[in-house]
Amino acid sequence: MEHLPSGFRVYRESEPNTEFLWVRDGFLANTRSWGSIFNSFDGLEGEYLDHLRKEMGHGRVWGVGPLSLVGGDEAMGRVNPDQNSGGGVLSWLDGCPDGSVVYVCFGSQKLLKRDQMEALASGLERSGIRFVWVVKSVSAQQMADGYGVIPDGFEDRVSERGMVVKGWAPQVSILSHRAVGGFLSHCGWNSLLEGVVAGVMILAWPMEADQFVMLDFWWRTWERSRVCEGADSVPDSVELARTIAESMSGILPKRLKQRS
């Protein structure tokens, strides 16, 4: 029950103005469309696309994904707003061994609280694994509200094997780089799809909305490991380090096999 999207969990029949009804009405309106297009493909969700065709009474349901295969970051609407953003991350990856880097990113919306940032930083540092960590900027108000930033001194201590990218990063290009073998993700649909297309292991930290449901779906189809769970959960840094290190230890031969 706790893994259902919040709009479904808080719904009460006696309260008509709820998020659930907005979502439901939107889905029902979609079924009355002339056709539907999804960032998915028959090989992954064929039975679900067939179900929609049956329910809608026509065959105008298309899976046109993965969109990340067509034009990379630009196809996903991730055009770099600042040519200095992501500063040299691909060049940095060029100097790393194949499959040795874990990419850490929680999407375009999610911010981590201060204790979550500290635990994640400690886990990455303890793991001994190379990493790229994309961190969004926070405002003074967000910091006052408890959201976190990179701990003082962290970047200096891990400079020989870690890179922190502040702001935008070319996610599709990073995931498809030969040096990247793992993806620590919040398990949003686009991120999961891009990670699977790139052939990397998913290190999962589902937080909210439909991320738990999507992870359960991918759980049956892709190599993955759960590192934490929940928007307010704080991972144990020692356990997180162990999970990252153990998960990444067997990446190289698998990644090379997938790319051959």
Side-chain angles (χ1 to χ4, degrees), residues 119-129 131 153-154 157-158 161 241:
L120 179 53
S122 178
L124 289 170
E125 185 173 355
R126 290 171 179 267
S127 72
I129 298 295
F131 67 87
F154 172 77
R157 293 194 301 273
V158 299
R161 62 174 176 84

Side-chain angles (χ1 to χ4, degrees), residues 1-257:
M1 179 66 176
E2 67 273 13
H3 287 177
L4 289 174
S6 59
F8 294 87
R9 286 189 282 107
V10 302
Y11 171 66
R12 299 293 183 272
E13 190 172 0
S14 59
E15 300 175 8
N17 295 320
T18 63
E19 180 184 358
F20 171 79
L21 293 182
W22 304 338
V23 173
R24 185 200 66 179
D25 291 345
F27 281 136
L28 289 175
N30 288 340
T31 65
R32 296 190 290 271
S33 300
W34 180 85
S36 298
I37 297 174
F38 296 93
N39 182 22
S40 187
F41 54 99
D42 283 327
L44 177 66
E45 292 192 290
E47 62 180 300
Y48 303 104
L49 295 172
D50 285 341
H51 175 75
L52 285 174
R53 294 179 184 114
K54 179 180 178 181
E55 290 296 311
M56 296 176 73
H58 57 73
R60 296 185 299 275
V61 175
W62 298 282
V64 299
L67 293 177
S68 58
L69 289 177
V70 185
D73 293 292
E74 290 185 3
M76 301 306 296
R78 301 192 182 113
V79 179
N80 190 349
D82 178 355
Q83 293 302 313
N84 295 319
S85 293
V89 62
L90 298 179
S91 297
W92 184 85
L93 287 170
D94 288 342
C96 298
D98 290 0
S100 65
V101 177
V102 60
Y103 173 63
V104 184
C105 183
F106 298 101
S108 59
Q109 300 180 14
K110 186 63 183 175
L111 292 173
L112 298 184
K113 293 295 183 68
R114 186 174 297 109
D115 50 359
Q116 292 174 319
M117 289 287 287
E118 292 172 352
L120 179 53
S122 178
L124 289 170
E125 185 173 355
R126 290 171 179 267
S127 72
I129 298 295
R130 292 178 176 85
F131 67 87
V132 171
W133 183 7
V134 178
V135 179
K136 287 180 287 297
S137 300
V138 296
S139 66
Q141 183 58 55
Q142 288 170 328
M143 290 184 65
D145 291 339
Y147 291 99
V149 296
I150 296 294
D152 290 341
F154 172 77
E155 293 180 78
D156 291 334
R157 293 194 301 273
V158 299
S159 60
E160 293 186 1
R161 62 174 176 84
M163 183 174 189
V164 175
V165 178
K166 298 175 181 177
W168 181 90
Q171 178 162 295
V172 174
S173 299
I174 291 171
L175 287 171
S176 61
H177 195 284
R178 58 161 182 79
V180 176
F183 181 14
L184 203 167
S185 170
H186 67 307
C187 303
W189 176 257
N190 286 335
S191 290
L192 284 176
L193 196 59
E194 291 162 13
V196 169
V197 168
V200 299
M201 169 179 277
I202 303 297
L203 302 173
W205 184 348
M207 296 185 178
E208 56 193 5
D210 54 358
Q211 293 161 12
F212 298 98
V213 177
M214 289 189 290
L215 179 60
D216 288 340
F217 170 74
W218 287 105
W219 210 256
R220 303 188 297 271
T221 60
W222 195 249
E223 187 174 12
R224 65 286 171 272
S225 178
R226 194 186 300 261
V227 300
C228 196
E229 178 177 299
D232 299 319
S233 299
V234 179
D236 178 271
S237 60
V238 175
E239 181 64 20
L240 177 60
R242 183 192 64 78
T243 301
I244 293 173
E246 291 182 357
S247 297
M248 293 293 291
S249 63
I251 286 294
L252 179 55
K254 297 176 184 176
R255 189 76 193 272
L256 292 179
K257 182 177 179 181

